[in-house]
């Protein structure tokens, strides 16, 4: 009985360990597979062409072709963001992000309303456009920070979509 439990625990441990001979889903695009690159100590994705470095003691995968420190851990089934364990997103940060978008936009809208230009002036549209640009820019900053935290590779997804659209257009023609 004890030996059977040891065997089960050991087999579970072996399954959860990263094996360089296997193929794994890419943590960036989730469409391709990463595998060892010939004559190199790195891994590469066959779809998005990103290059990764695997660190065996920590079971972590680091993106080598990016300035950002994107790191994932292998949990036996999927890749998990290794940086997210260091800092948790709390309600306070979410409210701060909302406040960063709402308050400047509100201040701009109230000032545009309180000091509205005459309707017959040629630049009467500027306060409205400025208010909209304030909202868009502040929302962009908050979304960029959230994308960096969750390691959401927007540019990689856009390249993937463009590549798949190009493939489908070539198939149709």
């Amino acid at each position: 009985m004890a030996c059977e439990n040891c065997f089960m625990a050991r087999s579970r441990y072996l399954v959860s360990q990263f094996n360089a001979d296997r193929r794994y889903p890419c943590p960036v695009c989730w469409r391709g597979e990463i595998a060892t690159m010939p004559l190199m100590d790195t891994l590469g994705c066959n779809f998005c062409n990103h290059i990764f470095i695997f660190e065996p003691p920590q079971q972590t995968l680091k993106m080598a072709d990016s300035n950002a420190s994107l790191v994932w851990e292998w949990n036996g089934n999927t890749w998990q963001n290794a940086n997210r364990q260091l800092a948790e997103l709390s309600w306070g940060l979410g409210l701060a992000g909302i406040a960063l978008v709402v308050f400047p936009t509100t201040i701009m809208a109230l000032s545009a309303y309180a000091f509205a230009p005459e309707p017959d002036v040629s630049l009467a549209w500027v306060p409205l456009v400025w208010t909209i640009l304030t909202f868009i820019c502040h929302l962009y900053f908050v979304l960029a920070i959230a994308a960096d935290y969750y390691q959401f590779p927007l540019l990689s997804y856009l390249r993937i979509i463009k590549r798949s659209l190009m493939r489908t257009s070539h198939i149709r023609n």
Side-chain angles (χ1 to χ4, degrees):
M1 178 84 170
C3 291
E4 185 177 327
N5 290 339
C6 292
F7 176 74
M8 294 297 287
R10 197 170 131 220
S11 65
R12 219 173 319 146
Y13 174 77
L14 291 174
V15 169
S16 68
Q17 291 293 313
F18 184 84
N19 184 358
D21 297 330
R22 287 185 50 206
R23 291 183 167 263
Y24 294 91
C26 177
V28 176
C29 66
W30 292 104
R31 288 185 175 210
E33 293 179 334
I34 59 172
T36 55
M37 297 177 73
L39 302 174
M40 297 180 74
D41 291 333
T42 59
L43 302 164
C45 178
N46 62 359
F47 191 79
C48 66
N49 298 324
H50 282 292
I51 298 171
F52 303 95
I53 298 171
F54 183 72
E55 297 174 5
Q58 298 89 8
Q59 294 282 309
T60 58
L61 188 72
K62 182 177 182 183
M63 186 184 291
D65 59 352
S66 173
N67 291 335
S69 63
L70 302 175
V71 181
W72 296 271
E73 277 184 332
W74 180 250
N75 68 359
N77 296 324
T78 61
W79 295 105
Q80 290 183 339
N81 182 348
N83 295 334
R84 201 179 311 165
Q85 294 174 354
L86 301 175
E88 273 192 37
L89 188 62
S90 66
W91 285 101
L93 288 176
L95 291 175
I98 292 170
L100 187 64
V101 174
V102 171
F103 286 143
T105 306
T106 304
I107 291 170
M108 191 63 223
L110 288 175
S111 64
Y113 178 75
F115 304 107
E118 296 295 324
D120 57 345
V121 176
S122 62
L123 295 175
W125 56 269
V126 170
L128 176 64
V129 171
W130 198 265
T131 303
I132 293 169
L133 285 175
T134 302
F135 174 76
I136 290 171
C137 289
H138 284 82
L139 182 64
Y140 170 76
F141 291 137
V142 169
L143 292 177
I145 291 170
D148 186 43
Y149 175 78
Y150 285 109
Q151 296 184 358
F152 182 76
L154 182 62
L155 293 177
S156 295
Y157 280 115
L158 292 177
R159 271 188 253 131
I160 290 167
I161 291 170
K162 180 181 174 185
R163 188 182 302 168
S164 65
L165 289 175
M166 296 294 281
R167 286 180 185 167
T168 57
S169 68
H170 289 301
I171 292 172
R172 290 182 192 167
N173 293 333

